[in-house]
Amino acid sequence: MNFWEYVGTRHQQLLTDTYQHASAVFQCMVIATLLGVLIGVVSYRSSWGGSLAITSTSAILTIPSLAAIGLLIPLVGLGVPPTVIILTLYGLLPVVRNCIVGLRGVDPSLVDAAKGIGMSRMRRLLKVELPLAWPPILTGIRVSTQMLMGIAAIAAYASGPGLGNEIFGGLASLGSANAINKVLAGTIGIVILALLFDAAYVLLGRLTIPRGIRV
Amino acid sequence: MSETATGSTEPAPPRPSSTSGATIQLEDLSKSYPGSPSPAVDGVSMDIKAGETVILVGPSGCGKSTTLKMINRLIEPTSGRIRINDEDVTDMDPVKLRRKIGYAIQSSGLFPHMTVAENIALVPKMTGWSKSGVKDRVEEMLDLVGLDPREFHGRYPRQLSGGQQQRVGVARALAADPPVLLMDEPFGAVDPITRDHLQDELIRLQHELHKTIVFVTHDFDEAIKLGDRIAVLRERSHIAQFDTPEAILTNPTDDFVSGFVGAGAALKRLNLTRVRDVGIADFPTVTVEDPLQSIFNKLRDGQHNELLMLDRRNRPYKWLRRGDLMRAKGSLARAGQLVHDTVTRDATLHDALEAVLTDSGGRVAVTGRRGEFIGVVDMHTLMNSVQELLEADRLAAMEHRHDLEELRVHRTEQELEGGGSGL
């Protein structure tokens, strides 16, 4: 059976896996974004708070994802919980770092002006600082998503959802008839998903970055 | 300055929603930062009258900006009180306070992700104006600062020139109609020509609005041009002299102030008086629509050597001398000399002198708001008024010195008496 025949016969399963892969990445990315921006907003003002946030998130990133997921299994069990935890944690770093850099990069004279015309702390953040820091934050989200696409494949190790099942299934049965096809289908599926997500981010940028600061 | 005097005699402009200025009192205001031995601002006291433009001027690092920022409490004073319209605002919620104080800064401080209209609408929106009220106000403010609302409404700050950005910055500061306007070197980042325009514009605005303006600059010429009173500050915001520009120019209290005033005080004096304050002479005019024959007759009947020809909208167009028409063989299109420079009534004598000196006939046409002809100023008028001015200044300075001496004598007497009773 060649690759296309394999895809043809297994397309139902492949589509389900692809959908689950995308949905897992998407949902974890939403959580990571919210959490990451929150951490950024809380910590960007103090110099040690910011570096603490950046160092601790990058420390997480140095743990091999396979090891991390393995370590989580005894704590939270198999399936969805370790997947969500791993993806969210790994997704945090680029968002946190870009959020802090972006917020710190806002022209101080604009913050001064915002204060000077009587904006409260909250309003300043929502109306001035976050909109101006949004392009770098969005870049962070984009980088995170690319990374999570790959890491999500590891989740299959903990019986998680997604295209990783194809890859792990294939790798486990190397030498059998469809082993290579399985690995290929999983990998190509992830690449296509990553490209689609990236295109979506370009569109999102077009829609959400105000015209006045678009480059 | 004579500004306020002329302002009151003119009919108030039809601007219904305009609050005029409030008084500001700074009482022994100090600011020290932890870790530095001497305070950045050390005990400033200042009384600013309603509707007055006060300029804080001094070398960089003298704390003038810090002093300004303490008024809207962007920098919290370490000690001292601030009163606006006799209300103590030192402990008031700073966010509420700042919404009642306009604030314009260098490089405009416009938010780049908002359109011009959104920028201007910020403060009115925050203070709870109705939607339609905000919309009208934005148009009104753009109009006020001389930008066409239809054209600039939807633009982003980066699509504007530096001067236009600054205008929008001022419009934003004035949008919620605050009685007080703080300006922190607002024209510091624009080119000299634009700066000149913006200064003229601010003078015109202030003429209409009568806000209380506190303006920080390190440019003494700007201070002279704009200020009703100038506070010359030395380090730690100590006031070296706080007086009218005239008094500072003619009677600087010490070497620091005179050093800051710089050379050419008499020439700078020209910046303090405006064309509206000197005699604007009448001048015989014709318009382009007049029949050729009547222009001929007017020139020939011998009363005038020269006529000013106005265009259809009454704006100065050409100087016509006797003989010009002859030389051009009766063709109006070719005769005479185009008017290349005019001044407004708000122009300073300095500008007027400049124009007169470059004009071959030694006079300049004065125009009104829409460029319509009002009259003419010539060398003779300028010379006379400058001499009168300087004479008046000298008298005022002498009187001032006399008053000071009397005060000092009085004070010494009191101290002596006080000392006597203490014994």
Side-chain angles (χ1 to χ4, degrees):
Chain A
M1 209 193 300
N2 71 16
F3 179 65
W4 295 115
E5 283 165 2
Y6 173 79
V7 172
T9 51
R10 299 288 305 272
H11 74 271
Q12 200 59 50
Q13 179 62 38
L14 282 174
L15 278 180
T16 315
D17 279 344
T18 310
Y19 169 73
Q20 284 180 346
H21 199 94
S23 134
V25 169
F26 177 75
Q27 291 179 41
C28 293
M29 213 43 243
V30 170
I31 304 175
T33 302
L34 293 178
L35 218 59
V37 171
L38 192 70
I39 295 174
V41 163
V42 169
S43 62
Y44 81 103
R45 269 163 201 278
S46 79
S47 61
W48 68 264
S51 12
L52 181 73
I54 291 177
T55 346
S56 50
T57 43
S58 46
I60 295 173
L61 208 60
T62 57
I63 307 170
S65 43
L66 194 60
I69 213 164
L71 288 172
L72 272 177
I73 293 173
L75 295 176
V76 295
L78 290 170
V80 175
T83 313
V84 171
I85 292 173
I86 283 296
L87 290 187
T88 308
L89 281 181
Y90 279 75
L92 271 180
L93 170 76
V95 179
V96 170
R97 193 179 46 203
N98 281 29
C99 184
I100 291 177
V101 170
L103 285 173
R104 284 186 179 167
V106 173
D107 185 350
S109 76
L110 290 182
V111 181
D112 193 55
K115 259 192 228 172
I117 65 171
M119 285 183 158
S120 60
R121 168 104 169 70
M122 202 53 174
R123 197 188 288 259
R124 224 151 61 217
L125 194 67
L126 294 179
K127 286 263 180 179
V128 178
E129 292 176 277
L130 279 177
L132 289 176
W134 178 238
I137 296 176
L138 191 62
T139 311
I141 297 174
R142 220 169 134 178
V143 171
S144 270
T145 310
Q146 302 290 327
M147 204 172 67
L148 291 199
M149 281 293 166
I151 294 174
I154 312 287
Y157 179 74
S159 314
L163 287 165
N165 288 314
E166 290 289 319
I167 299 174
F168 272 95
L171 289 177
S173 59
L174 271 181
S176 72
N178 277 323
I180 298 297
N181 283 341
K182 273 189 168 187
V183 177
L184 261 182
T187 315
I188 292 174
I190 287 174
V191 171
I192 292 173
L193 263 190
L195 289 176
L196 286 178
F197 266 77
D198 220 37
Y201 281 126
V202 173
L203 193 69
L204 187 67
R206 280 262 141 214
L207 293 176
T208 55
I209 297 176
R211 224 154 38 90
I213 54 171
R214 217 178 278 161
V215 275
Chain B
M1 215 159 134
S2 43
E3 290 292 294
T4 42
T6 41
S8 58
T9 54
E10 279 183 2
R15 211 168 277 288
S17 57
S18 182
T19 343
S20 50
T23 58
I24 304 175
Q25 280 150 316
L26 309 183
E27 255 172 51
D28 206 18
L29 218 51
S30 295
K31 175 72 193 178
S32 37
Y33 289 100
S36 92
S38 59
V41 171
D42 185 18
V44 184
S45 296
M46 208 179 260
D47 261 341
I48 298 170
K49 290 182 225 134
E52 187 179 36
T53 307
V54 166
I55 316 280
L56 308 181
V57 66
S60 18
C62 72
K64 51 191 190 300
S65 223
T66 312
T67 309
L68 183 86
K69 284 180 180 170
M70 282 198 282
I71 298 177
N72 67 358
R73 290 179 42 219
L74 276 178
I75 294 178
E76 290 287 349
T78 320
S79 68
R81 312 301 299 172
I82 307 153
R83 261 181 263 280
I84 295 180
N85 253 358
D86 293 323
E87 184 194 351
D88 194 329
V89 298
T90 329
D91 300 314
M92 183 184 171
D93 174 15
V95 170
K96 277 203 189 111
L97 170 70
R98 287 175 201 144
R99 288 182 190 171
K100 286 194 272 179
I101 299 180
Y103 184 55
I105 59 172
Q106 190 173 6
S107 68
S108 81
L110 293 180
F111 301 127
H113 58 297
M114 300 183 189
T115 62
V116 165
E118 285 166 343
N119 265 293
I120 298 176
L122 276 171
V123 193
K125 263 191 194 158
M126 285 192 292
T127 40
W129 289 36
S130 70
K131 242 190 180 139
S132 63
V134 173
K135 202 163 158 274
D136 293 345
R137 185 65 178 173
V138 169
E139 313 277 291
E140 190 189 340
M141 293 319 291
L142 277 173
D143 214 35
L144 182 74
V145 296
L147 296 172
D148 180 7
R150 269 166 308 167
E151 193 187 339
F152 287 96
H153 194 273
R155 290 222 202 161
Y156 284 93
R158 67 165 179 193
Q159 297 167 309
L160 306 178
S161 72
Q164 288 165 344
Q165 288 186 14
Q166 211 54 60
R167 280 163 200 255
V168 178
V170 172
R172 182 177 70 182
L174 288 172
D177 199 27
V180 175
L181 179 58
L182 306 181
M183 308 183 90
D184 193 354
E185 299 204 32
F187 309 145
V190 293
D191 63 87
I193 297 172
T194 313
R195 188 181 315 150
D196 224 45
H197 276 295
L198 290 171
Q199 289 166 350
D200 289 340
E201 202 80 340
L202 184 65
I203 292 166
R204 180 180 64 75
L205 276 181
Q206 176 63 340
H207 219 85
E208 290 182 30
L209 302 176
H210 306 291
K211 303 284 180 192
T212 305
I213 300 180
V214 186
F215 189 108
V216 163
T217 180
H218 58 256
D219 178 357
F220 193 71
D221 292 322
E222 184 167 68
I224 293 178
K225 186 166 174 187
L226 297 175
D228 293 328
R229 283 196 294 163
I230 300 175
V232 183
L233 304 178
R234 52 172 115 232
E235 70 283 7
R236 274 176 280 143
S237 226
H238 283 294
I239 299 178
Q241 188 168 9
F242 184 28
D243 214 329
T244 60
E246 289 87 345
I248 290 180
L249 280 178
T250 48
N251 192 26
T253 42
D254 55 21
D255 288 349
F256 176 80
V257 178
S258 55
F260 209 81
V261 168
L267 274 179
K268 283 181 182 162
R269 184 67 183 76
L270 290 178
N271 279 324
L272 292 178
T273 313
R274 310 210 167 261
V275 171
R276 65 165 77 240
D277 303 326
V278 303
I280 299 173
D282 231 3
F283 202 79
T285 58
V286 291
T287 72
V288 277
E289 276 152 340
D290 283 349
L292 191 60
Q293 194 56 45
S294 76
I295 299 177
F296 242 131
N297 291 342
K298 224 173 179 174
L299 272 172
R300 210 179 320 162
D301 69 5
Q303 283 178 12
H304 326 288
N305 277 325
E306 201 173 22
L307 293 177
L308 179 62
M309 185 186 270
L310 308 178
D311 67 5
R312 280 189 187 80
R313 291 160 70 185
N314 258 344
R315 293 176 304 194
Y317 173 51
K318 257 180 193 182
W319 300 105
L320 269 185
R321 268 182 223 178
R322 193 185 291 177
D324 277 350
L325 269 179
M326 289 296 199
R327 250 171 271 132
K329 302 201 175 69
S331 152
L332 261 185
R334 268 178 288 154
Q337 214 177 9
L338 285 177
V339 174
H340 59 84
D341 206 0
T342 59
V343 292
T344 63
R345 274 186 297 186
D346 284 323
T348 61
L349 288 195
H350 188 272
D351 297 337
L353 182 66
E354 176 83 31
V356 167
L357 285 176
T358 47
D359 188 277
S360 60
R363 68 266 179 280
V364 63
V366 182
T367 56
R369 258 191 94 166
R370 273 161 217 86
E372 76 278 11
F373 175 74
I374 292 174
V376 159
V377 167
D378 60 15
M379 199 63 182
H380 190 67
T381 330
L382 282 181
M383 289 263 288
N384 282 349
S385 35
V386 168
Q387 263 150 22
E388 276 167 32
L389 283 173
L390 288 178
E391 190 53 39
D393 284 351
R394 251 185 303 255
L395 285 176
M398 258 156 63
E399 230 165 80
H400 189 69
R401 209 168 295 163
H402 187 70
D403 285 351
L404 274 184
E405 257 155 42
E406 241 172 38
L407 194 72
R408 213 169 292 145
V409 170
H410 186 64
R411 229 181 254 164
T412 340
E413 269 170 15
Q414 266 187 337
E415 265 163 34
L416 284 176
E417 277 167 23
S421 67
L423 276 173

